[in-house]
Amino acid sequence: MLDNQLVQVFLPVINAQLTAYGYTGVTVIAANQPTQQGIPTGPTVYFHKLNDHRLGFLRRFDTWNELTSVMTHTEEQQYETTFQVNALVIQSPATPNQYTASDLVNDVCFIMQSDYTREILYNNQISILRVTDVTNGYFVDDKDNFEANPSFDFTLSYVRSKVSTGKVVSQAELDINRV
């Protein structure tokens, strides 16, 4: 499974569940895009990949197809990939009842641990291994105001595999010569 395939599984889940929880106008995007996208002006959830961790050793096995005389060689590796989620929600004293970036991140954290998400991941041969606590750092924004930057990490477990095929030797001639 490739990185973009992982994202194509969990991103629609986050979007759908945020809408189901009553969040409107929230953008969920990958941070650090390959092209300049500008900064969204509304509430935004960002995610980015932190790392990959290979587990154990490469598993190798072959399958023979008698009809086509082709040997299929498969190599599989168990992986754990960790993503980080954070959010930006501009706070204003004029809107004291608005949800915060921490509220938004905590709900995404809840979504990633929910039975609904676990079932969708499982149906795509992915497991959610762990979801960390939400941390709440701060930074100074472009208006010299402090903004919260809450975040958490989640780790997905899955198998990456590569398949190759080739003809198999079906006949050999033995020729022994004196040296």
Side-chain angles (χ1 to χ4, degrees), residues 74-87:
T74 304
E75 297 178 330
E76 295 180 342
Q77 179 73 54
Q78 185 73 34
Y79 269 82
E80 292 177 358
T81 297
T82 302
F83 290 87
Q84 186 170 79
V85 173
N86 60 350

Side-chain angles (χ1 to χ4, degrees), residues 130-169:
R130 71 182 66 85
V131 179
T132 65
D133 291 336
V134 174
T135 61
N136 201 43
Y138 286 85
F139 68 97
V140 178
D141 67 9
D142 57 341
K143 297 176 183 141
D144 287 333
N145 295 324
F146 287 103
E147 291 289 343
N149 186 23
S151 67
F152 74 93
D153 302 346
F154 66 91
T155 303
L156 302 176
S157 177
Y158 60 96
V159 173
R160 284 187 103 153
S161 63
K162 300 295 180 196
V163 177
S164 59
T165 58
K167 297 262 183 200
V168 175
V169 175

Side-chain angles (χ1 to χ4, degrees), residues 34-177:
T35 59
Q36 293 295 332
Q37 301 294 322
I39 298 173
T41 56
T44 307
V45 173
Y46 297 95
F47 65 89
H48 66 278
K49 181 178 165 180
L50 291 177
N51 59 54
D52 289 321
H53 177 69
R54 292 182 316 278
L55 298 172
F57 296 95
L58 198 60
R59 177 178 181 235
R60 298 172 178 91
F61 57 94
D62 298 310
T63 308
W64 173 248
N65 185 330
E66 290 185 29
L67 297 174
T68 60
S69 296
V70 172
M71 181 71 76
T72 302
H73 179 71
T74 304
E75 297 178 330
E76 295 180 342
Q77 179 73 54
Q78 185 73 34
Y79 269 82
E80 292 177 358
T81 297
T82 302
F83 290 87
Q84 186 170 79
V85 173
N86 60 350
L88 180 60
V89 176
I90 305 299
Q91 296 297 292
S92 169
T95 55
N97 295 326
Q98 179 185 359
Y99 59 86
T100 66
S102 181
D103 294 329
L104 188 55
V105 167
N106 274 290
D107 278 345
V108 174
C109 185
F110 185 87
I111 290 166
M112 293 309 295
Q113 297 178 90
S114 72
D115 289 338
Y116 175 79
T117 301
R118 288 179 46 229
E119 182 178 344
I120 290 173
L121 293 173
Y122 178 79
N123 291 338
N124 286 278
Q125 300 171 340
I126 304 168
S127 298
I128 186 128
L129 192 59
R130 71 182 66 85
V131 179
T132 65
D133 291 336
V134 174
T135 61
N136 201 43
Y138 286 85
F139 68 97
V140 178
D141 67 9
D142 57 341
K143 297 176 183 141
D144 287 333
N145 295 324
F146 287 103
E147 291 289 343
N149 186 23
S151 67
F152 74 93
D153 302 346
F154 66 91
T155 303
L156 302 176
S157 177
Y158 60 96
V159 173
R160 284 187 103 153
S161 63
K162 300 295 180 196
V163 177
S164 59
T165 58
K167 297 262 183 200
V168 175
V169 175
S170 59
Q171 182 177 351
E173 291 182 28
L174 185 58
D175 188 12
I176 301 175
N177 295 310

